[in-house]
Amino acid sequence: MERNSKTDGTPNVKPDMGRRLRAYRTREGLSIRRLALMTGVDRTSINDIELGRLNTTVDTLSKLADGLGIELGMLFVDEDRIVPKNKG
């Protein structure tokens, strides 16, 4: 996480979480618009979360995780652990 550290040395999780959210969303074949409709979270907010520009609440993250069919904690796990869905 060093590449995303703030100037005070604490990690900045927003960009990492945003990349994970986008990875799960694209794995499911969902557009931002579709995920917004499914979860009631504004599509602009989803985009800003994915880009690491928006601080959000646990409630919002929970809605997004539910919409993606994942546990909330999965948004905090490294992207290399995101396994593509089995197409077969």
Side-chain angles (χ1 to χ4, degrees):
M1 269 199 208
E2 194 170 304
R3 69 185 185 284
N4 290 324
S5 292
K6 296 179 189 175
T7 56
D8 66 358
T10 59
N12 186 350
V13 298
K14 289 188 302 183
D16 292 332
M17 185 179 309
R19 279 191 295 276
R20 290 180 199 114
L21 177 62
R22 178 168 284 169
Y24 280 112
R25 180 179 59 76
T26 57
R27 182 190 78 163
E28 295 298 317
L30 297 172
S31 66
I32 289 176
R33 182 178 183 275
R34 181 70 181 136
L35 183 58
L37 290 171
M38 291 170 58
T39 62
V41 176
D42 181 75
R43 68 179 186 232
T44 302
S45 296
I46 295 172
N47 185 59
D48 287 345
I49 293 166
E50 287 187 355
L51 294 174
R53 296 189 300 209
L54 180 68
N55 283 324
T56 191
T57 64
V58 171
D59 184 52
T60 298
L61 291 175
S62 181
K63 287 178 186 178
L64 293 170
D66 286 347
L68 294 168
I70 61 172
E71 294 180 26
L72 176 60
M74 296 306 293
L75 293 175
F76 298 89
V77 176
D78 291 334
E79 294 102 284
D80 61 348
R81 298 186 62 181
I82 299 173
V83 178
K85 283 189 114 176
N86 187 354
K87 300 285 183 183

